[in-house]
């Protein structure tokens, strides 16, 4: 891992098109995990077989994502899971192609079957087995950026920590770190709670909610980076020893 990588700085160019999303993911993977390499993507034959099973070609953005990093579990399957192409299919109502599922199968993300002809269509989310599909993010490529950020952030608690933020510390956190240029989006389990991302060199933070419910999840590239976050934001962190009891966290963050 390249120490000191700043995800927020890498995202300042924006996400105006999917090319920018893929470039960010390449840089982020190299900075926080390992560089993308040949073999990290699914094979074209497997992708075509999945499309034949569905009966339609996948949107260009979803095809490109699978072909670029679809076999990188550290970016796609540490917390929630990018559905393997061999398992890809329509939901129980036949209205959406489900491409990501929550780790306890409580939620699923998908593209509407009616939107498969779009190059970079909107992504929807719903609680599995109940409820209707609700808007999540406006493009697959942007949802892929959110996915890799979340998988790295929540994929291991060895260099991570989390805490509920009282109101006075929300503004402290907001002013201490740079807001990342990722659209605010709803938490899958409660549309009244929205998610924002913050960063600094070697530091990655996600703020779920603005109050009265607000949790801050933090990850450092080193233990020193993580300790710096916890010192700067003196909240009731879940761990003071580098080990989190996952059962103490909201179910959204449990693996």
């Amino acid at each position: 891992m390249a120490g000191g990588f700043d995800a927020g700085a890498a995202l300042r160019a924006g996400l105006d098109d999917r090319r920018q999303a893929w470039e960010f993911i390449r840089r982020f993977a190299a900075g926080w995990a390992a560089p993308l390499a040949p073999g990290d993507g699914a094979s074209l034959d497997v992708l075509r077989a999945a499309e034949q099973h569905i009966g339609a070609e996948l949107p260009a953005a979803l095809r490109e994502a699978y072909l670029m990093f679809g076999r990188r579990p550290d970016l796609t399957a540490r917390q929630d899971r990018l559905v393997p192409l061999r398992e890809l299919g329509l939901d129980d109502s036949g209205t959406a192609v489900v491409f990501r599922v929550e780790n306890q199968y409580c939620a699923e993300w998908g593209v509407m079957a009616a939107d498969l002809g779009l190059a970079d269509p909107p992504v929807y989310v719903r609680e599995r087995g109940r409820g209707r599909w609700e808007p999540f993010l406006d493009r697959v490529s942007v949802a892929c950026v959110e996915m890799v950020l979340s998988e790295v952030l929540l994929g291991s608690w060895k260099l991570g920590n989390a805490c509920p933020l009282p109101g006075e510390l929300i503004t402290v956190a907001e002013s201490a770190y740079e807001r990342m240029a990722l659209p605010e989006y709803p938490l899958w389990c409660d549309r009244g709670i929205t998610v924002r991302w913050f960063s600094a060199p070697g530091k990655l933070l996600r703020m779920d909610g603005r109050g009265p419910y607000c949790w801050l999840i933090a990850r450092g590239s080193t233990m020193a980076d993580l300790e710096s976050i916890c010192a700067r934001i003196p909240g009731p962190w879940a761990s003071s020893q580098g080990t989190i009891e996952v059962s103490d966290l909201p179910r959204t963050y449990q693996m």
Side-chain angles (χ1 to χ4, degrees):
M1 179 181 296
F5 180 81
D6 188 343
L11 203 58
R12 284 177 195 152
L15 292 169
D16 295 331
D17 58 46
R18 64 184 193 271
R19 177 191 58 79
Q20 289 178 303
W22 306 149
E23 177 59 25
F24 170 80
I25 288 173
R26 287 186 184 279
R27 294 182 64 188
F28 181 74
W32 275 90
L36 295 178
D40 285 350
S43 74
L44 190 56
D45 287 346
V46 173
L47 186 145
R48 286 172 174 162
E51 292 177 328
Q52 185 174 14
H53 172 71
I54 294 168
E57 188 171 287
L58 294 176
L62 197 54
R63 293 178 110 249
E64 290 163 1
Y66 273 107
L67 293 172
M68 188 169 79
F69 55 87
R71 298 180 62 195
R72 278 289 297 269
D74 57 333
L75 302 177
T76 64
R78 287 283 184 86
Q79 168 72 15
D80 304 323
R81 183 174 69 112
L82 178 68
V83 176
L85 283 170
R86 288 184 176 86
E87 300 174 20
L88 205 63
L90 293 168
D91 71 331
D92 52 10
S93 67
T95 59
V97 174
V98 177
F99 68 88
R100 190 181 181 205
V101 294
E102 194 266 343
N103 72 87
Q104 298 179 71
Y105 288 86
C106 295
E108 51 193 5
W109 291 259
V111 173
M112 295 295 104
D115 292 338
L116 290 178
L118 302 177
D120 200 359
V123 173
Y124 294 79
V125 66
R126 71 172 184 175
E127 290 200 57
R128 198 173 189 220
R130 61 178 179 175
R132 62 182 183 179
W133 288 101
E134 300 281 359
F136 179 65
L137 283 165
D138 65 358
R139 283 178 285 139
V140 165
S141 59
V142 178
C144 286
V145 169
E146 189 279 335
M147 174 174 64
V148 299
L149 286 170
S150 290
E151 294 309 298
V152 168
L153 180 77
L154 298 171
S156 171
W157 289 110
K158 292 181 180 178
L159 291 172
N161 213 331
C163 72
L165 284 186
E168 65 273 13
L169 285 182
I170 293 176
T171 54
V172 171
E174 289 172 334
S175 61
Y177 298 99
E178 178 184 358
R179 169 81 187 275
M180 291 177 63
L182 186 71
E184 196 164 347
Y185 59 91
L187 199 61
W188 64 262
C189 59
D190 188 335
R191 297 194 62 79
I193 299 170
T194 56
V195 178
R196 294 174 293 156
W197 288 84
F198 298 82
S199 76
K203 302 175 178 69
L204 190 63
L205 304 96
R206 195 180 93 180
M207 189 182 296
D208 293 359
R210 296 173 176 268
Y213 178 100
C214 185
W215 272 78
L216 184 69
I217 311 98
R219 174 89 187 263
S221 61
T222 66
M223 185 56 68
D225 288 325
L226 180 61
E227 290 171 348
S228 172
I229 296 171
C230 296
R232 194 163 189 180
I233 304 170
W237 291 96
S239 170
S240 59
Q241 302 297 326
T243 301
I244 288 179
E245 293 296 331
V246 176
S247 60
D248 292 335
L249 300 174
R251 68 186 180 115
T252 311
Y253 319 129
Q254 294 181 16
M255 297 181 65

